[in-house]
């Protein structure tokens, strides 16, 4: 069973902002409403309680409300004399030696209705009372996906979604001891892109082995099948979308790619492929560029001889009807493979043959990336293996 790294997650700016907003806004409001999706990130309610503690409510009272709960009786256990019922209006009038806070946590739809009624009664009573008990309640309302305030009520919306930068940080630290394939960081990049805003899904992806992550698009059916019904609709309440991005959850896109209309299938598949493309752009492009000079170095004696025969001491690279003059050290992978193909380079040694092979495979991958296409996993695997067999960087 996959689980969140709570210590890391709640240090990230987005999740941390929930705690900070609670701490800031509860001091200026008697009523605070936190809007959450039905699928919440583990630790969310603890985060709310932490915010109350940071606002100098050292012992917030957390009440789990079920469909048959008498909220007034539960409140009375903490504030009443002789365990009597304390209505919302009475609670609003209560003035203690030090300010206190109550967090109502409804367990289901009927419990939500009970919490709503208690909160409305409390709010109405605060208009003409000077009590110092603050009430916090959680709701699940897709129509309110932003923060705001009205009269004495403050609304905070939180769905636990991570921004791309936050997800990169989370995945990088969680996979810090799992580089690869080979000398690349492609696995981390794929997990980060395919997790999107969902840290729990990132953890699920990390449970896959390296070959499955590299060929992630071939394994999405398995992941979809683990909770098929959830991914059918695009809904903030069920966590298939987030307020931090306009991009839907990967598994909703995969559902559309499999079961949507013809147009939906094309669009969803395109978005999935772009995730893979972005991962390759992020991980493979700098990785291959860092190694380019080491590959070109293998041919430098020949290249310098070729350049010496040119009046300007450079190598002429065909470019349509024209030629581009390039210094030997600045040649690209495709230049080397092209010169070898035209027998301009004399490829004799095993090392030179391996270098040409690397150049050719790199060209194919970089061509895909340059044209916004997702490279094939098998080609990436072949390139990484060939490159690591040829180039060793400290």
């Amino acid at each position: 069973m996959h689980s969140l790294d709570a210590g890391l997650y709640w240090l990230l700016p987005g999740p941390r902002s929930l705690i900070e907003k609670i701490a800031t806004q509860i001091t200026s409001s008697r009523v605070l409403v936190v809007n959450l999706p039905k699928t919440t990130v583990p630790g969310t309610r603890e985060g709310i309680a932490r915010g109350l503690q940071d606002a100098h409510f050292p012992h917030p009272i957390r009440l789990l409300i079920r469909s048959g709960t008498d909220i007034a009786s539960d409140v009375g256990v903490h504030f009443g004399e002789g365990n009597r019922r304390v209505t919302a209006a009475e609670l609003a009038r209560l003035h203690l030696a030090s300010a206190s806070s109550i967090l109502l946590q409804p367990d289901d739809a009927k419990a939500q209705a009970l919490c709503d009624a208690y909160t409305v009664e409390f709010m109405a009573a605060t208009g003409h009372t000077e009590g110092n008990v603050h009430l916090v309640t959680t709701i699940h309302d897709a129509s309110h996906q932003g923060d705001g305030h009205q009269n004495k009520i403050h609304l905070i919306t939180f769905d636990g979604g991570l921004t791309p930068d936050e997800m990169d940080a989370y995945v990088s630290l969680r996979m810090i001891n799992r580089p690869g394939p080979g000398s690349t960081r492609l696995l981390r990049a794929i997990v980060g892109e395919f997790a999107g805003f969902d840290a729990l899904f990132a953890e699920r992806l990390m449970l896959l082995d390296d070959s499955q992550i590299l060929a992630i698009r071939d394994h999405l059916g398995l992941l979809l099948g683990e909770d098929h019904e959830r991914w059918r609709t695009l809904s903030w309440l069920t966590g298939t979308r987030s307020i931090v991005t306009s991009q839907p959850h990967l598994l909703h896109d995969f559902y559309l790619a499999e079961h949507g209309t013809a147009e939906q299938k094309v669009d969803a598949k395109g978005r999935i492929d772009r995730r893979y493309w972005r991962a390759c752009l992020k991980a493979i492009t700098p990785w291959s560029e860092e190694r380019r000079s080491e590959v070109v170095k293998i041919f430098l004696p020949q290249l310098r001889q070729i350049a010496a025969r040119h009046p300007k001491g450079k190598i002429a690279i065909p470019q349509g009807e024209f030629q581009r003059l390039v210094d030997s050290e600045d040649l690209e992978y495709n230049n080397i493979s092209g010169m070898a193909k035209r027998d301009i380079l004399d490829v004799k040694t095993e090392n030179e043959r391996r270098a040409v092979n690397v150049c050719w495979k790199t060209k194919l991958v970089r061509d895909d990336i340059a044209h916004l296409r997702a490279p094939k996993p098998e080609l990436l695997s072949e390139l990484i293996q060939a490159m690591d067999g040829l180039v060793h960087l400290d």
Side-chain angles (χ1 to χ4, degrees):
M1 182 66 180
H2 52 288
S3 60
L4 195 72
D5 185 328
L8 172 59
Y9 175 84
W10 288 100
L11 285 176
L12 296 170
R16 180 67 192 175
S17 71
L18 171 66
I19 299 172
E20 293 170 348
K21 288 176 183 178
I22 297 288
T24 300
Q25 297 188 19
I26 192 63
T27 57
S28 60
S29 176
R30 293 284 304 280
V31 181
L32 183 59
V33 178
V34 184
N35 190 21
L36 305 170
K38 293 179 179 178
T39 304
T40 57
V41 174
T44 296
R45 286 180 170 81
E46 289 73 14
I48 296 172
R50 172 63 186 278
L52 294 174
Q53 292 169 344
D54 289 353
H56 306 295
F57 296 102
H59 304 292
I61 298 168
R62 298 171 59 180
L63 300 180
L64 179 61
I65 309 302
R66 296 186 170 88
S67 56
T69 299
D70 180 3
I71 298 178
S73 293
D74 281 10
V75 172
V77 171
H78 298 278
F79 294 101
E81 296 178 1
N83 291 344
R84 69 178 179 85
R85 296 178 77 253
V86 175
T87 67
E90 291 173 322
L91 183 66
R93 291 193 296 270
L94 196 61
H95 197 285
L96 306 173
S98 60
S100 183
S101 63
I102 295 181
L103 171 59
L104 301 181
Q105 302 172 151
D107 189 48
D108 54 29
K110 290 183 179 179
Q112 183 70 63
L114 296 175
C115 291
D116 291 348
Y118 196 88
T119 302
V120 169
E121 182 184 347
F122 181 92
M123 178 187 65
T126 60
H128 45 81
T129 63
E130 296 297 331
N132 63 350
V133 176
H134 297 249
L135 182 67
V136 182
T137 189
T138 58
I139 63 172
H140 309 290
D141 189 343
S143 64
H144 295 287
Q145 294 185 22
D147 297 345
H149 63 88
Q150 184 174 6
N151 298 325
K152 295 185 178 181
I153 296 181
H154 282 262
L155 173 70
I156 296 173
T157 299
F158 179 77
D159 61 28
L162 298 182
T163 66
D165 286 343
E166 290 170 336
M167 183 59 77
D168 281 347
Y170 184 85
V171 171
S172 293
L173 286 171
R174 291 288 291 122
M175 299 182 69
I176 196 167
N177 293 321
R178 191 181 176 186
S183 59
T184 74
R185 296 180 177 86
L186 181 57
L187 296 180
R188 300 178 200 171
I190 293 173
V191 169
E193 288 294 339
F194 277 70
F197 57 81
D198 188 346
L200 272 177
F201 188 55
E203 293 288 344
R204 176 63 185 92
L205 292 175
M206 291 178 211
L207 293 179
L208 300 174
D209 63 37
D210 291 2
S211 62
Q212 289 175 315
I213 293 177
L214 188 61
I216 183 63
R217 290 171 294 175
D218 296 334
H219 299 281
L220 296 181
L222 169 67
L223 299 171
L224 180 74
E226 293 175 354
D227 193 358
H228 190 273
E229 288 302 308
R230 177 185 174 188
W231 309 112
R232 294 181 61 182
T233 56
L234 186 62
S235 168
W236 180 78
L237 288 176
T238 59
T240 56
R241 62 185 301 262
S242 170
I243 59 176
V244 303
T245 178
S246 60
Q247 186 165 248
H249 197 286
L250 167 74
L251 291 183
H252 176 67
D253 262 343
F254 184 71
Y255 181 89
L256 293 180
E258 294 289 299
H259 305 290
T261 65
E263 183 177 0
Q264 286 175 328
K265 287 180 178 180
V266 171
D267 291 344
K269 185 178 183 301
R271 287 192 293 269
I272 292 171
D273 287 344
R274 281 196 295 276
R275 290 176 187 259
Y276 202 90
W277 170 80
R278 284 196 299 270
C280 293
L281 178 67
K282 186 184 300 181
I284 296 299
T285 298
W287 171 83
S288 62
E289 184 58 30
E290 185 179 17
R291 286 154 177 76
R292 181 187 58 81
S293 62
E294 295 297 315
V295 177
V296 173
K297 186 188 298 182
I298 295 171
F299 298 100
L300 270 183
Q302 286 193 64
L303 293 172
R304 285 170 177 162
Q305 289 178 5
I306 295 169
R309 295 196 290 267
H310 192 279
K312 293 188 176 181
K314 296 180 181 291
I315 294 178
I317 302 297
Q319 198 167 43
E321 298 180 359
F322 304 96
Q323 289 184 333
R324 181 167 57 94
L325 299 181
V326 181
D327 289 327
S328 301
E329 292 81 357
D330 294 335
L331 288 177
E332 298 288 344
Y333 290 102
N334 61 317
N335 301 144
I336 297 295
S337 59
M339 293 173 73
K341 185 177 181 180
R342 298 193 305 273
D343 293 326
I344 299 174
L345 286 175
D346 190 11
V347 182
K348 291 182 177 180
T349 68
E350 177 62 22
N351 209 38
E352 289 171 341
R353 284 191 286 270
R354 290 164 62 198
V356 170
N357 180 51
V358 164
C359 289
W360 176 246
K361 293 183 184 301
T362 304
K363 176 188 181 304
L364 296 177
V365 168
R366 285 164 68 105
D367 283 352
D368 279 339
I369 293 174
H371 292 92
L372 308 185
R373 296 189 299 260
K376 295 179 180 179
E378 56 270 26
L379 181 56
L380 286 167
S381 183
E382 292 172 4
L383 166 60
I384 295 166
Q385 185 175 4
M387 182 74 82
D388 284 350
L390 181 70
V391 178
H392 305 280
L393 297 182
D394 294 332

